[in-house]
Amino acid sequence: MEIVCNYCGVNHPERQSFCNGCGSALPPPGEVRDTTVGTNEAGGRKGLLIAAGVIAVLVTGVLLFGYRDVPQKVEVVNFADAAPVVAASDLTASGADQRRYLITARFSAAYSTVTTLRMMLLNHRMTTGEYPSDFAELGVDESELTDGEYVTGVSLRPGGIMVAQLDSRQFGSGATLTLTPRDVMAGTRTRWDCTTTIPEEDRLSGPGHIPCTVE
């Protein structure tokens, strides 16, 4: 007759006094016992241990990540020679700077519009050996040479020089943009020099901006 330990549920096929599993005293051989009780108790103790471990892990995670998300106290140290901190709202551009930005952007748009006409002049020169005297010679109506925003008209001067009249509402009265062709590399390439009546102090200069001198 098997004897089952009341504490750990280990079965003992032979008669003995102490459990081979946990060392506890075994019940008498004739005592009737539900063998599922010991197993359930052992399983229950094991379940409690697992549950306790899971809870410990969860609590540790909450403490760690919760601490990370809580705003921490920051110590501010002021130095005697340190420059004062300027709020971002105080770093806005002045009215003069904003005007320079606007004029530079508009001038770039006008320049791009005029430079599209260069290929027409170069093709005519390659065919005839000379630049056209006016756009009518190219079959272009000069009244159509406007973008309706920045360039109000474009005319030709001898030698393929293009003069663009700029909108006075955008650039001021009498503003012009002139592109003058100049042969370089022994005549194998053409360079276009840019001049304008817009003062340099009204435009931004440096890398990324159109190099254009004042007439």
Side-chain angles (χ1 to χ4, degrees):
M1 180 178 181
E2 293 185 349
I3 302 176
V4 180
C5 178
N6 291 332
Y7 300 97
C8 65
V10 174
N11 294 329
H12 301 78
E14 297 181 359
R15 184 175 179 179
Q16 59 189 77
S17 300
F18 297 96
C19 175
N20 293 331
C22 63
S24 303
L26 294 175
E31 181 178 332
V32 179
R33 179 179 180 275
D34 185 358
T35 57
T36 61
V37 175
T39 303
N40 290 339
E41 290 178 352
R45 287 193 295 270
K46 183 177 181 181
L48 288 176
L49 291 175
I50 295 175
V54 172
I55 292 174
V57 172
L58 291 176
V59 171
T60 302
V62 170
L63 291 176
L64 290 177
F65 289 96
Y67 179 80
R68 183 192 63 180
D69 295 334
V70 173
Q72 304 299 311
K73 183 178 180 181
V74 178
E75 181 180 3
V76 178
V77 180
N78 293 323
F79 296 94
D81 297 332
V85 178
V86 180
S89 60
D90 296 333
L91 297 178
T92 56
S94 65
D97 289 338
Q98 292 179 0
R99 181 173 181 273
R100 294 175 65 200
Y101 295 144
L102 289 175
I103 291 181
T104 300
R106 295 167 182 170
F107 185 79
S108 297
Y111 179 86
S112 298
T113 299
V114 177
T115 54
T116 57
L117 301 173
R118 295 181 303 181
M119 188 57 65
M120 299 175 62
L121 302 181
L122 292 176
N123 287 338
H124 186 275
R125 185 191 182 191
M126 291 177 62
T127 302
T128 65
E130 296 179 353
Y131 286 108
S133 58
D134 53 34
F135 283 104
E137 193 173 340
L138 300 175
V140 177
D141 186 353
E142 289 191 1
S143 63
E144 298 179 353
L145 296 178
T146 173
D147 63 356
E149 188 172 12
Y150 301 119
V151 178
T152 58
V154 183
S155 59
L156 274 181
R157 292 177 182 175
I161 301 175
M162 289 189 294
V163 180
Q165 288 75 41
L166 305 180
D167 194 328
S168 59
R169 295 170 299 179
Q170 306 287 352
F171 302 96
S173 178
T176 61
L177 164 65
T178 302
L179 294 179
T180 303
R182 178 163 57 91
D183 292 338
V184 295
M185 296 296 293
T188 59
R189 298 188 61 183
T190 301
R191 175 176 176 176
W192 295 81
D193 296 329
C194 176
T195 57
T196 182
T197 58
I198 302 175
E200 291 183 353
E201 57 268 21
D202 290 343
R203 294 177 286 124
L204 297 176
S205 60
H209 297 104
I210 298 173
C212 200
T213 59
V214 178
E215 295 180 3

